[in-house]
Amino acid sequence: MNEVVPTHHWVRGGLVRDREAAMERLGLPAGPVMVVDAHRGLRGPYTAAGTLVRAMVPDVLLRDRKLVERYDIELLSAAPDLRSVVPNSRETLTSMALPAERTRYYARLRTTRISNGLVEFVRDGLTADGPRVLVVENADRAEATDQEFLTALVRRIDPAHLTVVVRSGGTGPADEALLAVLAARAQVTEVQPSAAADGPADAWAYVATDCTTDQPAPRAAYEALDPSARALLHDRRAAELAERDEESLRLGAIAYHLEHGSDPGGAGVPAVFHAMDHSLCNGFYEACVDYGRRGLALVDPRKEHDRWWAFTKGVTLSLSILGRTYEAEKLDDQARLNSVKPAVHMAAAYNTAMLYTRHNDPEDRDEFKAKAWLNSAIATASLIENRSDRAFQSAFYKNGLALVEVNLGEPTEALRLVDEAISSLDELLGPDEHVLHRSVLKNNRARVYLSLGRIQEALADYAIVIREDPNHAEHYLERGNILRRLGRPEEAFEDYARAMRLSPPFPEIYYNRGDLRLNEGDTEGALADFSYVIELVPEFVDAYVNRAGLLLEAGELDAAEQDANTGLGHEPDNPYLHAVLGQVHAEREEFEESRAAFDRALAADPDMITALSGRAALAYDMGELDTAAVDLGHAVELQPDDPALRYNRAFVHQDTGHWEEALADLEIAAGLAPDDSDITEALDTCRRKAAAAR
């Protein structure tokens, strides 16, 4: 009998009932099965992930409380209902900021880190008698956060540990990354719709599923009702769910039902705004755009200006962070068209400026347009009557202008602007007012100091912001990078370790630590860090470059070749990966393949020392001394103080009878590396032969 190889599954097509029937044909592992519904209409962001961890956390708390504490940010992000049993020990000024004082928002990639942390919690939290199979229904209707979570889960979890069955209607989820992972890691089962009898023609049955059932009869009954009767059913369902007092329901079904109930403008608008604001504060930007657009459909910009503007701000900011800048600028223009309020024009001007200096694709950035819009915002802010409000708004916009000045190559002017902003806020605000933005200003000043080479002043500012915001991981990452540059590796290691403890899995921290470990001679630790980075983010090309280099040095040619080819799949013109392939082929004495790889590397980067010296060594071995001399000559021009390059070029000079040139290279090499016995011996030999040749 052939052994069944564990695999994940993708069951697609038909209705839910058809996909359920198909489960019997999959040959799944024996043991408990857990089914979660990913339909975003139920609980909004992380509907599936939240359902999964809510089921797991009580048991894990009894067995391994430290595991829950390690992933508290991820758990509370996916399942805010767990706040009563999972204390957040890593609160930051960003997470605790009052709505009126919010000036820093999470990075776009935060949800990727959360998803990876959730996968690790699921992996480490499962027991031998726990679920062996996880079924995720309605993956095609999942919110972006859940699709990202499922991508990480299917890619990283061993199907022998937990078999994931993703079920979806039609062709499947729209998310390209999830589709690619399912195609690569899951066995596909196509399902055809059956002719089975439909459910009851009961409108309430449809609403009671929070309008997520795919059964045609209940939905048809619902749609046949008078709109006012439908609205009453939504009111009834919203009241039922509200009695459960679960925050995640407020982000999904409750907001939906109140939006479609009998009072959409009264009860619906604040419910949808709450869901939007929660998503904005947590970095769920796709969800924020969805809720914001739904809210905008419920309000009249002329009659309900402030509510309209509140939704517009959330959507515009989220679109900007998502890189959907054309849509964001259209909303900024709409704001300028619809409003005569100074606060709206200030904010819209700032938003547009940030598009041109930060969020647009590089070819569409324009620092002068950004500066013009920021000057407009600052000018408008100067008209605010309240002195402290005027100081805060001016400081906020000057901070943005400082970013533009840095991008324009004017760090001194940027420093003046940030200093001015900090001084005015310190003078006019109490110590507990706008703490977040004052910390942001000092962090930005540290970066400007760094660009000016004023390292100690930068470190002094980092010490302040770390004291004020001790759980903000990025501060430690940035300071660790400075300490590494200063040749203080032990302190850099400490900062990287602290950043790792404070953040969901953050690939850049592990990459930087891996690079530091490599420089300190810890190749095993570096290899582990680069491997973890690739596990977290398979398209992190620099990690493939470094790991391939380590594997090459260890003589693991097949593994180095695989890393190089995988990396080139993400970045086809990467010269470092082509150079690795050149070295791999050279080791195998595959000379034509090696030359072609080095040629590709140098086509991408004509000044790449590794490729020049590699191609020169190949040419030398093949007797093409003129070619070797040209490549080594260029390499020496680029890096004249490298003794190895001069040593190698000396041998080419010797073989072509240019003894004086060889002697000159070896004398310089010996001066650069006086303790290198190979160079000393070669120099002695060359002196004798050069003298004989005179």
Side-chain angles (χ1 to χ4, degrees):
M1 178 181 291
N2 293 331
E3 182 180 357
V4 176
V5 178
T7 183
H8 300 303
H9 292 269
W10 180 15
V11 181
R12 65 187 187 193
L15 302 178
V16 171
R17 67 190 180 202
D18 304 316
R19 298 192 287 272
E20 287 176 349
M23 294 286 290
E24 298 177 4
R25 307 194 300 270
L26 299 183
L28 297 171
V33 176
M34 182 177 181
V35 180
V36 300
D37 195 329
H39 197 300
R40 70 183 71 191
L42 299 173
R43 295 176 185 264
Y46 289 117
T47 292
T51 303
L52 175 58
V53 299
R54 274 192 301 273
M56 291 181 62
V57 162
D59 177 61
V60 177
L61 276 171
L62 295 175
R63 293 185 287 105
D64 189 354
R65 188 173 189 86
K66 288 186 177 180
L67 182 64
V68 173
E69 293 171 352
R70 172 67 187 89
Y71 295 103
D72 56 353
I73 292 175
E74 295 92 323
L75 294 172
L76 293 173
S77 296
D81 321 281
L82 291 172
R83 193 164 292 276
S84 61
V85 295
V86 179
N88 188 348
S89 61
R90 297 181 282 176
E91 291 276 19
T92 64
L93 291 179
T94 304
S95 65
M96 296 186 295
L98 298 171
E101 297 192 357
R102 241 180 254 142
T103 58
R104 178 166 62 201
Y105 293 87
Y106 291 115
R108 178 181 180 180
L109 293 176
R110 182 174 186 260
T111 53
T112 303
R113 300 167 195 161
I114 290 171
S115 292
N116 274 309
L118 290 170
V119 169
E120 292 173 11
F121 173 80
V122 172
R123 178 196 65 199
D124 298 342
L126 288 175
T127 60
D129 58 351
R132 294 289 311 284
V133 177
L134 173 67
V135 178
V136 183
E137 183 56 87
N138 286 318
D140 52 321
R141 306 301 301 278
E143 204 277 322
T145 49
D146 261 332
Q147 296 202 34
E148 195 170 41
F149 166 69
L150 288 174
T151 301
L153 186 70
V154 173
R155 179 172 54 78
R156 293 187 63 195
I157 208 83
D158 183 351
H161 184 61
L162 177 70
T163 299
V164 181
V165 181
V166 175
R167 303 199 317 213
S168 64
T171 57
D175 184 80
E176 291 183 4
L178 179 53
L179 287 174
V181 166
L182 289 172
R185 299 267 294 160
Q187 178 180 308
V188 178
T189 299
E190 300 283 0
V191 176
Q192 299 300 320
S194 67
D198 200 358
D202 180 355
W204 172 247
Y206 178 70
V207 175
T209 68
D210 302 316
C211 303
T212 65
T213 182
D214 61 0
Q215 296 295 320
R219 178 167 185 163
Y222 166 84
E223 292 175 345
L225 286 178
D226 179 84
S228 59
R230 289 201 299 267
L232 290 175
L233 292 181
H234 285 293
D235 291 346
R236 173 184 164 189
R237 180 59 175 166
E240 283 184 354
L241 295 174
E243 290 180 0
R244 293 165 60 175
D245 192 26
E246 296 179 27
E247 176 63 13
S248 59
L249 289 173
R250 296 186 186 96
L251 308 177
I254 292 176
Y256 178 83
H257 289 301
L258 292 176
E259 177 186 0
H260 291 84
S262 58
D263 188 17
V269 167
V272 175
F273 181 81
H274 172 78
M276 183 193 81
D277 195 55
H278 175 93
S279 299
L280 181 64
C281 292
N282 284 276
F284 308 154
Y285 297 118
E286 294 281 3
C288 184
V289 171
D290 176 57
Y291 292 127
R293 292 200 186 283
R294 285 158 56 182
L296 286 170
L298 298 176
V299 298
D300 186 327
R302 292 168 296 180
K303 298 177 181 178
E304 302 169 281
H305 177 280
D306 290 348
R307 298 209 295 182
W308 163 82
W309 174 237
F311 282 114
T312 300
K313 281 194 299 184
V315 176
T316 304
L317 177 58
S318 296
L319 288 171
S320 300
I321 295 173
L322 289 169
R324 295 162 59 180
T325 55
Y326 176 75
E327 297 170 74
E329 189 164 8
K330 284 186 68 175
L331 279 178
D332 286 333
D333 289 341
Q334 192 69 38
R336 287 184 274 268
L337 181 67
N338 285 345
S339 179
V340 295
K341 289 196 172 185
V344 173
H345 282 265
M346 284 191 304
Y350 175 81
N351 293 343
T352 305
M354 289 301 104
L355 298 180
Y356 282 103
T357 195
R358 175 184 288 164
H359 297 299
N360 280 346
D361 291 335
E363 63 271 16
D364 294 325
R365 292 180 188 174
D366 187 329
E367 302 300 338
F368 294 105
K369 281 187 178 180
K371 187 171 182 176
W373 280 115
L374 282 164
N375 283 340
S376 176
I378 292 169
T380 308
S382 69
L383 303 176
I384 298 173
E385 293 185 7
N386 182 281
R387 192 180 179 200
S388 61
D389 288 346
R390 183 171 67 248
F392 171 72
Q393 294 295 346
S394 296
F396 180 73
Y397 298 131
K398 285 178 181 177
N399 182 47
L401 184 56
L403 171 63
V404 174
E405 295 292 358
V406 168
N407 292 342
L408 286 171
E410 299 290 345
T412 302
E413 175 61 12
L415 181 61
R416 185 192 69 78
L417 288 164
V418 177
D419 273 337
E420 190 176 282
I422 291 172
S423 297
S424 65
L425 293 185
D426 287 346
E427 177 187 349
L428 295 172
L429 300 181
D432 295 329
E433 293 182 275
H434 287 289
V435 177
L436 171 61
H437 190 62
R438 290 157 86 173
S439 175
V440 169
L441 284 168
K442 290 164 194 163
N443 179 256
N444 289 348
R445 184 171 66 181
R447 294 174 180 175
V448 177
Y449 278 142
L450 191 60
S451 71
L452 288 167
R454 295 164 64 173
I455 307 298
Q456 295 308 316
E457 289 156 299
L459 287 174
D461 268 347
Y462 276 113
I464 293 171
V465 296
I466 284 172
R467 184 175 67 247
E468 293 174 345
D469 198 4
N471 290 335
H472 191 78
E474 283 86 346
H475 295 332
Y476 297 95
L477 171 60
E478 292 169 10
R479 189 174 70 174
N481 293 340
I482 297 173
L483 293 168
R484 179 185 168 194
R485 285 173 51 185
L486 291 174
R488 294 156 65 176
E490 292 184 2
E491 294 170 84
F493 275 126
E494 289 177 7
D495 271 356
Y496 289 153
R498 185 68 183 272
M500 290 170 185
R501 290 194 297 271
L502 292 173
S503 172
F506 195 149
E508 287 79 6
I509 306 174
Y510 288 91
Y511 176 81
N512 287 7
R513 188 179 71 172
D515 217 26
L516 180 56
R517 281 175 157 175
L518 183 58
N519 289 340
E520 293 299 304
D522 179 10
T523 55
E524 185 176 340
L527 192 62
D529 277 343
F530 295 140
S531 296
Y532 184 54
V533 171
I534 290 168
E535 182 182 349
L536 293 175
V537 185
E539 60 273 17
F540 202 119
V541 173
D542 286 347
Y544 286 108
V545 170
N546 287 2
R547 190 172 74 171
L550 285 171
L551 293 168
L552 183 64
E553 288 180 10
E556 298 183 35
L557 300 184
D558 291 346
E561 181 181 28
Q562 181 176 344
D563 266 3
N565 284 324
T566 303
L568 288 168
H570 299 293
E571 192 177 310
D573 294 326
N574 186 285
Y576 301 99
L577 294 171
H578 283 301
V580 167
L581 288 179
Q583 291 167 295
V584 167
H585 290 305
E587 287 290 328
R588 294 175 178 158
E589 298 185 352
E590 298 166 349
F591 299 125
E592 291 305 318
E593 293 87 345
S594 178
R595 186 196 299 275
F598 284 131
D599 287 346
R600 284 191 289 269
L602 290 167
D605 182 1
D607 296 335
M608 186 180 180
I609 301 291
T610 304
L612 285 167
S613 57
R615 189 169 70 177
L618 182 67
Y620 183 84
D621 289 341
M622 298 176 70
E624 300 173 3
L625 300 183
D626 290 342
T627 301
V630 170
D631 278 347
L632 283 171
H634 186 35
V636 170
E637 288 174 3
L638 295 168
Q639 207 161 303
D641 294 334
D642 186 326
L645 291 175
R646 289 191 176 272
Y647 175 79
N648 290 337
R649 188 171 69 167
F651 276 93
V652 177
H653 285 320
Q654 288 181 128
D655 286 0
T656 54
H658 296 90
W659 293 102
E660 296 301 327
E661 291 87 343
L663 183 59
D665 268 345
L666 287 170
E667 286 176 340
I668 294 172
L672 294 168
D675 297 328
D676 190 313
S677 59
D678 289 338
I679 293 176
T680 302
E681 182 180 345
L683 177 59
D684 291 340
T685 302
C686 187
R687 280 173 175 163
R688 291 194 301 271
K689 292 185 176 181
R694 289 189 184 109

